[in-house]
Amino acid sequence: MSDQLIYATEVILNGLMAGVLYALVALGFVLIYKASGIFNYAQGVMALFAAMTLVGIMNGQVPFAHLINATFGVHVTHFGWTIPALLAILLTMGVMILLAWAVQQFVMRHLVGQEPIILFMATIGLAYFLEGVADLMWGSEIKTLDVGLPQGLNVWIDDTTYGIFGYGFFIDNLDIVATVIAALLVAALVAFSQYTKQGRAMRAVADDHQAALSVGISLNFIWVLVWSVAGFVALVAGIMWGTKSGVQFSLSLIALKALPVLMLGGFTSIPGAIVGGLIIGVGEKLFEFAVGPLVGGATENWFAYVLALIFLVFRPQGLFGEKIIERV
């Protein structure tokens, strides 16, 4: 096996792992879009908010410490204790459920039956609001997140690499864990969406708000449920990305990388989000490997969007999306 082929195989494997992380973010978009027909621009900020809240809870940080200190002339930063990672994750999930209730109570409840563009603009406002609240609550400095997930390069044959058929491949442990978690998460979400009463109610709400109300489906409950599930997905994505690159405000920009994933996989397909993420992950790594040196590199910054543009021209519903025909 030539060195080029070995390196290309390593690039593909790492692309698959990166694609899983993209897909984790895209899943949150799909869930909310399937349940309400809303493209949730705030999904990336929800991942940031969840990760910052998790770090703050684990470290015993006082929420809104900067605001409290400036208002009352005191100096408080921490409660003086630390909380185990598992308990902190559960508490953070409680915060995300509370956030879901607040979004439904103060935003979505007042927009039933509105045009999709109105709902989309509401999520843009929500994104900037959440980003500001996260800054006030936990501060803007870069934070380290460690919940006990394995990190670094795994060891199989020697001290640095995985070995496959006698050849070494560099694969990050965190990427392997993310792949397993994403697979379990997708299986659970597909089962929930297809085989539970609540999942079918979510699809009914997405088709027609008013019709769903007329058959006794509670929009309040469904929207709290779907935003809670999306919050859980955002928490998982925030943990993975925050562990990998630190918890910082640029974490919210991962939503931009999820857009091409959605365009490829389809806005209404949970498996499509995974397939789209894998295509984007492998595609951008291989393109950088094969074409990057010829054009000066940095092709990973734009490859996904060019591929998404091609899909929009020839298959706008994506690989797994539903082709909707409207009669007027």
Side-chain angles (χ1 to χ4, degrees):
M1 187 181 290
S2 67
D3 291 342
Q4 284 290 91
L5 184 56
I6 295 172
Y7 185 57
T9 306
E10 180 182 324
V11 167
I12 292 173
L13 290 174
N14 281 283
L16 289 171
M17 304 297 182
V20 168
L21 293 177
Y22 297 153
L24 277 176
V25 183
L27 278 175
F29 285 97
V30 171
L31 285 170
I32 292 180
Y33 192 84
K34 280 175 70 69
S36 60
I38 302 172
F39 178 78
N40 179 26
Y41 183 84
Q43 187 65 32
V45 181
M46 287 172 64
L48 167 69
F49 181 80
M52 293 185 72
T53 301
L54 177 59
V55 173
I57 292 175
M58 287 179 64
N59 295 335
Q61 186 176 345
V62 177
F64 300 105
H66 295 295
L67 186 60
I68 293 172
N69 294 339
T71 303
F72 299 102
V74 296
H75 183 71
V76 295
T77 56
H78 293 79
F79 290 110
W81 65 70
T82 57
I83 296 178
L86 181 58
L87 178 58
I89 290 173
L90 294 176
L91 291 174
T92 304
M93 191 58 233
V95 172
M96 299 308 290
I97 293 173
L98 183 61
L99 173 64
W101 175 84
V103 168
Q104 187 280 325
Q105 186 71 18
F106 299 110
V107 182
M108 294 296 109
R109 185 166 64 92
H110 304 285
L111 298 177
V112 174
Q114 294 293 327
E115 294 294 324
I117 186 62
I118 302 297
L119 300 173
F120 172 63
M121 293 300 293
T123 67
I124 293 179
L126 177 64
Y128 286 105
F129 174 77
L130 272 181
E131 193 168 313
V133 170
D135 188 8
L136 284 174
M137 285 184 71
W138 309 115
S140 58
E141 64 275 6
I142 299 175
K143 300 172 176 61
T144 301
L145 177 58
D146 183 7
V147 296
L149 295 176
Q151 300 180 56
L153 298 174
N154 209 322
V155 178
W156 187 2
I157 283 185
D158 54 49
D159 291 337
T160 57
T161 61
Y162 260 114
I164 300 177
F165 303 119
Y167 297 92
F169 296 89
F170 291 91
I171 302 175
D172 196 312
N173 269 325
L174 181 62
D175 291 338
I176 298 173
V177 172
T179 301
V180 174
I181 290 175
L184 295 174
L185 194 59
V186 170
L189 290 173
V190 170
F192 174 77
S193 177
Q194 298 294 330
Y195 303 112
T196 66
K197 181 180 178 180
Q198 290 79 11
R200 291 190 292 270
M202 284 168 49
R203 299 203 305 274
V205 170
D207 288 337
D208 193 315
H209 296 173
Q210 298 297 341
L213 278 171
S214 68
V215 296
I217 295 175
S218 172
L219 287 186
N220 292 341
F221 172 76
I222 292 300
W223 273 347
V224 170
L225 175 64
V226 72
W227 281 82
S228 297
V229 175
F232 173 70
V233 174
L235 174 58
V236 174
I239 290 173
M240 297 304 169
W241 281 99
T243 302
K244 190 178 183 70
S245 57
V247 179
Q248 50 192 312
F249 276 81
S250 61
L251 182 64
S252 63
L253 300 179
I254 59 176
L256 298 179
K257 188 54 75 77
L259 293 179
V261 173
L262 294 168
M263 293 173 189
L264 263 67
F267 280 82
T268 59
S269 173
I270 292 175
I274 296 297
V275 174
L278 296 178
I279 292 174
I280 292 294
V282 173
E284 67 180 15
K285 298 292 185 184
L286 279 179
F287 195 81
E288 177 70 25
F289 168 69
V291 181
L294 304 178
V295 296
T299 62
E300 290 186 34
N301 295 331
W302 52 263
F303 170 82
Y305 301 98
V306 173
L307 184 60
L309 179 61
I310 295 172
F311 265 76
L312 284 176
V313 172
F314 296 102
R315 190 176 174 83
Q317 73 270 27
L319 292 173
F320 297 88
E322 300 173 357
K323 189 173 184 179
I324 299 175
I325 301 175
E326 295 185 356
R327 292 180 172 85
V328 296

